[in-house]
Amino acid sequence: MEGDCLSCMKYLMFLFNFFIFLGGACLLGVGIWVIVDPTGFREIVAANPLLFTGAYIMLAMGAMLFLLGFLGCCGAIRENKCLLLFFFMFILLIFLAELSAAILAFIFRENLTREFFTKELKKHYLRNNDTDVFSSTWNSVMITFACCGVNGPEDFEAVPHPLYSSLEKTLPEACCQRELQSQEGVFVDKEACLTGIERFQNRQGCYTVILNSFETYVYLAGALAIGVLAIELFAMIFAMCLFRGIQ
């Protein structure tokens, strides 16, 4: 009976570690995509230290889970106590780190509010100044997502106009409609846009556009994170039980 229980525990341990292996592969893939994505998201990450750090943390966590899932599978199948103990200690550290990251994300969630981004835009945005990282990043975002400001064109009423442009009245060029949403895209009618004709302007705020674009993925990422934490917890329990059961 004890042998059957140990055998069942071994295969359950293998199953949970297989899921950890898959979860690690997913995180690794998402981390690589965020860092090398050519559609403009990479520029947002590079300009924001918090997002930049988060992307590399996701990459590192994915690689560690990938490796640990592999080690856990090997330790369970071969019934190696050394591998099982190493697996348990390492996955415990990762579990605590992920839990701490989730708590910190909840505490600092106010940094992702509409009001925070609006204040930062009005404070730091320099319109068409491509030498400024903050401004060039915002321009890239507005062009890529066909949006304007955080809430809409009204955000730029408090932004200083460049002295060298007599044509520009209110909006930066990034808010003007283009035939193709990229830096190389041709303007539909740049002069009409900058002189205030709304049908040639992108009127929707970027906060709403980006939130709608990533809403599904945010919930998916949250569900995936909860699932990974639960799997890690069960894997630690099975690892310790299997460790104690091996003679």
Side-chain angles (χ1 to χ4, degrees):
M1 185 68 182
E2 186 179 342
D4 292 339
C5 184
L6 188 63
S7 179
C8 178
M9 191 72 68
K10 179 174 73 173
Y11 288 111
L12 282 173
M13 172 77 177
F14 177 84
L15 181 64
F16 275 109
N17 276 283
F18 180 71
F19 283 122
I20 290 174
F21 177 83
L22 290 180
C26 289
L27 285 177
L28 197 59
V30 171
I32 293 172
W33 173 76
V34 167
I35 291 169
V36 304
D37 173 50
T39 60
F41 194 64
R42 175 181 55 191
E43 297 177 27
I44 306 173
V45 172
N48 189 317
L50 187 62
L51 290 178
F52 184 79
T53 305
Y56 278 96
I57 288 175
M58 183 186 298
L59 198 64
M61 296 301 289
M64 282 193 290
L65 287 176
F66 184 86
L67 177 62
L68 281 174
F70 178 77
L71 289 176
C73 288
C74 291
I77 292 298
R78 298 182 62 182
E79 298 185 9
N80 187 308
K81 295 187 75 169
C82 184
L83 275 178
L84 287 172
L85 185 60
F86 173 77
F87 168 83
F88 176 84
M89 296 301 295
F90 215 159
I91 207 167
L92 177 62
L93 290 175
I94 292 177
F95 179 84
L96 293 175
E98 288 174 343
L99 200 58
S100 300
I103 293 170
L104 287 174
F106 179 78
I107 292 172
F108 293 105
R109 68 190 184 282
E110 65 272 9
N111 287 345
L112 298 176
T113 61
R114 186 188 295 269
E115 292 74 20
F116 173 80
F117 285 117
T118 303
K119 184 177 74 172
E120 291 296 299
L121 178 70
K122 292 181 177 180
K123 183 178 179 181
H124 300 292
Y125 184 67
L126 301 176
R127 293 182 174 267
N128 301 318
N129 187 344
D130 292 331
T131 60
D132 179 66
V133 174
F134 184 89
S135 302
S136 61
T137 299
W138 259 105
N139 288 336
S140 177
V141 170
M142 291 189 289
I143 292 169
T144 301
F145 290 96
C147 56
C148 187
V150 178
N151 308 288
E154 64 273 11
D155 289 342
F156 296 103
E157 293 174 2
V159 176
H161 295 182
L163 297 175
Y164 55 81
S165 175
S166 58
L167 177 63
E168 191 171 58
K169 301 299 181 182
T170 303
L171 297 182
E173 293 178 3
C175 284
C176 295
Q177 291 182 6
R178 298 171 185 245
E179 293 180 3
L180 179 65
Q181 297 304 321
S182 69
Q183 296 280 2
E184 295 76 27
V186 178
F187 291 100
V188 175
D189 192 329
K190 177 181 173 181
E191 184 173 350
C193 166
L194 297 178
T195 52
I197 300 177
E198 294 186 2
R199 65 193 181 93
F200 296 109
Q201 301 172 351
N202 295 318
R203 305 292 300 176
Q204 196 168 12
C206 293
Y207 190 89
T208 301
V209 172
I210 295 175
L211 195 65
N212 291 339
S213 299
F214 289 101
E215 185 176 15
T216 304
Y217 301 105
V218 167
Y219 289 123
L220 183 63
L224 180 64
I226 292 172
V228 167
L229 286 173
I231 290 169
E232 287 172 355
L233 185 62
F234 280 110
M236 285 189 290
I237 293 171
F238 286 135
M240 190 48 61
C241 291
L242 188 59
F243 178 85
R244 294 182 55 142
I246 295 173
Q247 301 299 324

